[in-house]
Amino acid sequence: MKHLGIEEIKKIIPHRHPFLLVDYIEDYEPGEYAVGYKCVTYREDFFAGHFPQEPVMPGVLIVEALAQVGAVAILAEEEFQGKTAYFGGIKNCKFRRKIVPGDKIRLETRIIKRKGPLGVGEAIASVDGEMAVKAELSFMIG
């Protein structure tokens, strides 16, 4: 297993607070997959307005967290180091469960197709073994 802390993640992907949505990478294989985690707390800026009476992590931010984990997988490859992974598209996205303060999200993205700087990742976010979000994410390296 290859573990990355926040400072090591910041050496691979360009995201920074408040938009870096991954706390650590538990394991990864450059060009193949990455598994990361986000520990969701009440202190997240978005909970102030989403929703004050019932804090729920916005679905688009969960998808972004999955994309950031996928970016670690692809940008850790030697040929793409120092570059940026951009969203190309989102297909078949399904939300199955709310994510709330106190949840620890397991974020896994596997690269399933790639042709040069373009590719597709299969991404799953889960909490306590229960799937929260599943999507197919396409990306472009630039």
Side-chain angles (χ1 to χ4, degrees), residues 1-101:
M1 279 216 230
K2 299 176 187 172
H3 183 275
L4 298 173
I6 196 78
E7 293 306 317
E8 295 156 312
I9 292 169
K10 288 172 17 179
K11 290 177 184 174
I12 297 172
I13 63 174
H15 305 77
R16 297 296 181 265
H17 179 79
F19 211 66
L20 179 57
L21 299 171
V22 181
D23 293 332
Y24 66 95
I25 298 291
E26 177 183 73
D27 192 21
Y28 72 103
E29 185 62 44
E32 300 292 325
Y33 72 92
V35 177
Y37 287 86
K38 169 71 177 159
C39 298
V40 182
T41 71
Y42 279 102
R43 293 188 323 236
E44 310 290 346
D45 293 336
F46 49 80
F47 286 137
H50 198 269
F51 301 100
Q53 307 310 328
E54 180 190 1
V56 176
M57 186 171 182
V60 295
L61 294 182
I62 301 165
V63 173
E64 174 63 27
L66 286 163
Q68 290 179 15
V69 168
V72 169
I74 201 69
L75 297 177
E77 276 198 287
E78 196 170 314
E79 68 179 294
F80 296 128
Q81 289 179 2
K83 301 209 174 191
T84 301
Y86 298 98
F87 255 127
I90 304 167
K91 285 176 59 177
N92 303 318
C93 187
K94 302 286 184 200
F95 297 92
R96 305 277 187 212
R97 152 194 214 291
K98 292 188 291 188
I99 292 179
V100 298

